[in-house]
Amino acid sequence: MLRAAFYLVLGLAVVGLGAVDRFVFAIVAFGVFGIWLAASLLLTMPPRLARCHAVINWAILAVLGLTAVQIIPWPAGSLLNPIFSQPLLGGGHLGSITANPSATISACLAIIMPLAGMSTSMLLHQNEIAAVRFIRRGALLGGLIIGLSLIQFMALPDTLLLFRKMHYRDSFTATFVNRNTAATFCGIVLLLATTLTLNDLAWQRGGHSVHAAPVSRSTWSEWALRLVIPVAAVGLALTRSRAGVSSTLVPLIAVLALYGYSVLRSQKLTLGRAGRAILIAAGLLAIGVLILDQLLDRFEAQGANSARWCVYGTMLNAFLDRPWLGIGLGGFETFYPMRRDPACGIYGEWEYLHSVYLEILLSGGVVFFLFALALIIWMARLFFAGYMRRRGFRVVPLAGGAVLMLVLLHSILDFSVQIPGIGLVVAAIFGSVMPIASRSPRRRAERYSVNIVLKD
């Protein structure tokens, strides 16, 4: 029951414009926090997940603490940002660190919600079977959403699934407002489907000898996953997002290389296997050519976006003015017009900085950036250790690691992970990976789990 409710909330966050609408965001946030509370009260967390649970709780407390420090009044000469100070009748100044206290509170909620979703997903998917089912269902449902969106994009390019399309009418945006957000979603679906499909092929060829596990419940599920790959690839190409495509290709190549190495190391190379490998490589090459062709067309039409680099330099200088605690979470939209350089252009509205790392530095300061960096390193080490330790179900930490790599790369030049719907989906995937990555391998237990999956 809780899983079904959680999946429903995830679906609403994706279909509802990525939950950027206030009404949709309120429903999604209420659902996530409600399910998180119910799961925490009703489900028992095994001791091996205590560290993961503690890290998530500390992250939530850190965000709450930083928000409190940024919104409370400070006297002049202390932590107060001088451009936000207000003169008092009796002399002196009083104000807050943040540029917009209400926006900081909203940003705090938007950050905590994915963390709560991560904890919820960790509670709901505590074993191999639940984790692989969640990832498989996510890939299939994501492929279905992309497929329906592609049909609508070709028939009614001025509309989304449920809303009227207002921006990027020349590009595929799926159910999102921004094409870069759609590229991230298509990339996540493509990575999940590719990882699961390669795992199925490896299992059919060598089973445990290539560290694979049967994650598909039936033949139709296997072929449906294979169909998701070209659908997601076409959607990714039609977004025409240069950063999104590049950020997807890197983990995709890494996944292909890892599975190719596992198969070649465990099996002898025959003419039939070499032919299949050539066909797969040719298909992937054709998809890559299609994607690169779209990127080159857009690059020739628009060139390098010089305005973005100009804004980066301006905001980096603003960060150096108040480096420790920043200008306030969510304060960029209010702060940017005060420091906008006419040389960067005077047209357009900037709601995000188009660089997650730089916006973390600007809004949260060095303190928050170091904390976020420590959380990323901890998660990457957990997924890597899980991939190296696990045997039959290493596909789960591999999928999580691929998605993490995509998000980290795309966040350099875009803000997709700041969209509530994308952030929640990514957090849910990470939460489902944590119980598997933190579990020590037990061969008997894994073989027993394999038999359950095969019989299901």
Side-chain angles (χ1 to χ4, degrees), residues 197-419:
T197 298
L198 290 175
N199 175 83
D200 287 339
L201 293 175
W203 173 262
Q204 294 170 5
R205 299 293 180 266
H208 279 294
S209 63
V210 290
H211 295 175
V215 300
S216 294
R217 299 172 63 179
S218 59
T219 303
W220 78 264
S221 179
E222 293 180 12
W223 284 104
L225 280 173
R226 297 175 187 180
L227 181 61
V228 168
I229 295 177
V231 170
V234 170
L236 179 63
L238 292 179
T239 62
R240 309 182 71 184
S241 170
R242 293 167 290 185
V245 172
S246 303
S247 302
T248 302
L249 289 179
V250 174
L252 182 62
I253 293 173
V255 169
L256 293 172
L258 285 173
Y259 267 105
Y261 174 75
S262 298
V263 172
L264 292 176
R265 187 182 64 174
S266 60
Q267 300 180 357
K268 294 182 179 180
L269 184 64
T270 63
L271 183 61
R273 290 169 184 162
R276 285 191 293 269
I278 293 174
L279 288 176
I280 293 174
L284 293 173
L285 180 62
I287 294 174
V289 170
L290 172 64
I291 294 174
L292 290 176
D293 181 65
Q294 293 288 328
L295 291 181
L296 290 175
D297 288 343
R298 185 185 167 214
F299 188 84
E300 291 177 359
Q302 299 181 6
N305 192 351
S306 57
R308 179 177 299 187
W309 302 109
C310 179
V311 172
Y312 287 169
T314 302
M315 292 298 100
L316 184 59
N317 291 331
F319 155 72
L320 294 176
D321 291 339
R322 308 294 291 187
W324 298 110
L325 294 175
I327 63 169
L329 300 176
F332 170 76
E333 188 176 4
T334 303
F335 178 78
Y336 177 61
M338 304 178 187
R339 296 291 296 265
R340 188 166 191 166
D341 188 349
C344 303
I346 59 175
Y347 299 102
E349 296 181 3
W350 288 65
E351 297 182 10
Y352 303 96
L353 187 49
H354 291 261
S355 174
V356 176
Y357 304 111
L358 186 53
E359 187 159 348
I360 290 175
L361 273 174
L362 180 66
S363 61
V366 173
V367 175
F368 189 59
F369 180 83
L370 292 178
F371 183 85
L373 183 62
L375 182 63
I376 293 171
I377 294 175
W378 170 80
M379 193 176 302
R381 288 187 60 186
L382 178 66
F383 292 172
F384 179 76
Y387 176 79
M388 297 302 295
R389 286 198 304 260
R390 297 313 303 260
R391 184 172 174 83
F393 286 92
R394 61 167 42 181
V395 61
V396 177
L398 178 60
V403 174
L404 178 61
M405 186 182 298
L406 163 62
V407 171
L408 292 179
L409 291 175
H410 201 184
S411 295
I412 298 175
L413 295 175
D414 273 311
F415 56 88
S416 297
V417 74
Q418 294 177 260
I419 302 301

Side-chain angles (χ1 to χ4, degrees), residues 141-156:
L141 292 177
L144 178 62
I145 292 174
I146 296 173
L148 293 176
S149 299
L150 284 172
I151 295 174
Q152 189 171 34
F153 176 68
M154 292 183 291
L156 301 170

